[in-house]
Amino acid sequence: MDSTPNPWAFAASSRTLVALSIPAALIGILSGVMLWALDEVAHLGTQWVWESLPESLGASGESPWWIFGVLALTGFLVGLVVWKMPGHGGQDSATVELIAPPQPVRAVPSIIVVILLTLIGGVSLGPESPIIAINTALAVWIVTRLWPAIPAQLVVILTAAGTIGALFGTPVAAALVFTGALASGGGALWDKLFLPLVAAATGTVTSLVLGGGLGAVASIAPYTDPQAIDLVWASVIAAVGAAIALIGIIAFKALHPFLRRRMPNPLLLSIAGGLLLGGLGALGGPLTLFKGLEQSAQLIALNGTIGWAGLLAVVGIKLAALVVAASFGFRGGRVFPAIFLGVAFGMLAQTLVPSIPFGLAIASGVLGFTLAIARDGWIALFVAVAMVGDIGILAIMCVAILPTWLVVARAPEMIIEDHPADRVSTAAR
């Protein structure tokens, strides 16, 4: 995300900022509404596929055979869309940053279909990348017609800000993400952040009014009795969690290009991925499916009933499912699965060492996994604190992120640069 283009070479005037606030606010509203609509359709589809349909057939949506069948079918349908539908489901999420150049508007229907299939089918990916791509394509298409003087790069930034604000339920998240990207060059930073904050604020408010937002995953006892040893435990949990995530990232970096060379047809690729995800889902159960936010709350509610071996299995299966989903051509983001992995790993650490405060363990695990997978310190700090709903833990997280950053700073990132194998896959369509 540090590579996000900066359309400002100078500080905009106050008059310009005020004038551009109207399109910025409209972009934020559009971003929030589109995210809400996507979530609503995905929610209804999930209820039908995993509850109503199996119940009508006298089956259970939690049974291993149903999980395997749904994910296998999802792999087939996703591959079919990517192979044959105009737009091909947009860019492979594994090859682009969270904030990417805009897609042509004709690609939007296929992106919507493929992310709905991913979310409804229980694939271990979140909506972040596709919904930003959808919103960006629509916003650029609309703004270039209504306000042609506004640079497309600015529209991309405003749309990403509005969508990030809507996703996480606060404009602060978007401001933190863009601080590094917009700090370079001349002009005051807050002049550059002004319009993204307008978009993020309106996107956030729209999302909250419609019932969205991140929110804390569950009621967790506040962190009220800091101890010096907590700095050590938080740093160890975060750093070890990041190191485990890096194992998955290294596997992903090797697997993705290998598969593109051996399976250039996207249909065959996604079918194979769906079968693997089905097997992992049948083994891990419903907790290891989907993007992971609701499942994080469910896992925390089970605290004390799952032993260390069970939690270790959850971490291993979910990490494997994330690697498979990202490698086999499914579309989706990786931040929400990283949050779930962090929650599970934090619970594992607290189970092994019960003296560690529960909220501290959860936040530290989320910090480590998110930092390694998203490779953004601000997002990692934000979600670590937001997931436990306790601002009092922020100071400890600011210390824990330092050694954790040293673990990930020179390590591979969870993104694939363009290479010939990707072009072969595209040509096979």
Side-chain angles (χ1 to χ4, degrees), residues 78-397:
V78 167
L80 200 59
V81 171
V82 173
W83 185 29
K84 290 296 186 182
M85 191 171 177
H88 304 292
Q91 294 173 284
D92 183 353
S93 300
T95 65
V96 294
E97 298 280 359
L98 186 62
I99 304 167
Q103 293 286 289
V105 74
R106 65 178 180 274
V108 168
S110 68
I111 302 174
I112 292 174
V113 171
V114 82
I115 187 55
L116 285 174
L117 288 170
T118 296
L119 294 174
I120 294 170
V123 178
S124 292
L125 291 171
E128 314 92 88
S129 299
I131 188 60
I132 290 177
I134 292 167
N135 287 343
T136 300
L138 292 174
V140 169
W141 184 78
I142 293 170
V143 171
T144 54
R145 281 153 179 78
L146 297 180
W147 296 282
I150 299 178
Q153 291 180 342
L154 176 57
V155 179
V156 171
I157 290 176
L158 297 182
T159 309
T163 309
I164 291 172
L167 276 165
F168 294 107
T170 171
V172 176
L176 292 176
V177 169
F178 283 102
T179 296
L182 301 180
S184 60
L189 173 61
W190 277 90
D191 275 340
K192 300 174 184 178
L193 283 175
F194 186 90
L195 294 173
L197 274 173
V198 172
T202 52
T204 298
V205 171
T206 301
S207 177
L208 294 177
V209 168
L210 295 173
L214 182 65
V217 296
S219 177
I220 297 175
Y223 179 68
T224 56
D225 187 23
Q227 304 292 325
I229 191 64
D230 292 345
L231 293 170
V232 176
W233 284 127
S235 299
V236 169
I237 292 171
V240 173
I244 293 172
L246 288 177
I247 295 173
I249 293 172
I250 292 170
F252 159 78
K253 296 282 281 189
L255 186 59
H256 187 281
F258 173 80
L259 291 169
R260 295 311 182 281
R261 290 191 297 268
R262 295 301 179 93
M263 292 185 184
N265 186 290
L267 177 60
L268 296 179
L269 182 68
S270 292
I271 288 175
L275 292 172
L276 287 174
L277 289 174
L280 289 168
L283 182 63
L287 271 177
T288 60
L289 304 179
F290 303 101
K291 65 182 180 182
L293 189 60
E294 294 82 1
Q295 289 69 35
S296 294
Q298 295 168 12
L299 188 61
I300 287 177
L302 295 173
N303 182 42
T305 65
I306 305 178
W308 68 268
L311 289 168
L312 183 61
V314 167
V315 172
I317 292 170
K318 187 67 174 183
L319 183 58
L322 173 58
V323 170
V324 169
S327 300
F328 280 78
F330 292 88
R331 305 304 198 247
R334 299 178 287 275
V335 174
F336 287 106
I339 292 172
F340 174 87
L341 283 164
V343 169
F345 184 72
M347 290 179 64
L348 170 61
Q350 204 271 339
T351 300
L352 294 173
V353 186
S355 61
I356 302 175
F358 186 68
L360 180 76
I362 296 293
S364 303
V366 171
L367 179 76
F369 273 90
T370 306
L371 185 62
I373 291 173
R375 208 56 60 92
D376 189 295
W378 289 125
I379 288 181
L381 280 171
F382 174 80
V383 297
V385 174
M387 289 302 285
V388 298
D390 186 359
I391 192 65
I393 216 161
L394 177 59
I396 302 291
M397 293 300 101

Side-chain angles (χ1 to χ4, degrees), residues 28-128:
I29 293 171
L30 170 68
S31 301
V33 169
M34 288 300 295
L35 175 63
W36 169 81
L38 185 77
D39 281 342
E40 284 297 299
V41 175
H43 176 69
L44 293 173
T46 300
Q47 284 187 322
W48 184 76
V49 169
W50 296 95
E51 297 177 17
S52 302
L53 181 58
E55 184 179 340
S56 68
L57 298 174
S60 170
E62 297 185 357
S63 62
W65 72 267
W66 187 269
I67 292 173
F68 179 84
V70 169
L71 281 162
L73 178 60
T74 298
F76 170 77
L77 295 175
V78 167
L80 200 59
V81 171
V82 173
W83 185 29
K84 290 296 186 182
M85 191 171 177
H88 304 292
Q91 294 173 284
D92 183 353
S93 300
T95 65
V96 294
E97 298 280 359
L98 186 62
I99 304 167
Q103 293 286 289
V105 74
R106 65 178 180 274
V108 168
S110 68
I111 302 174
I112 292 174
V113 171
V114 82
I115 187 55
L116 285 174
L117 288 170
T118 296
L119 294 174
I120 294 170
V123 178
S124 292
L125 291 171
E128 314 92 88

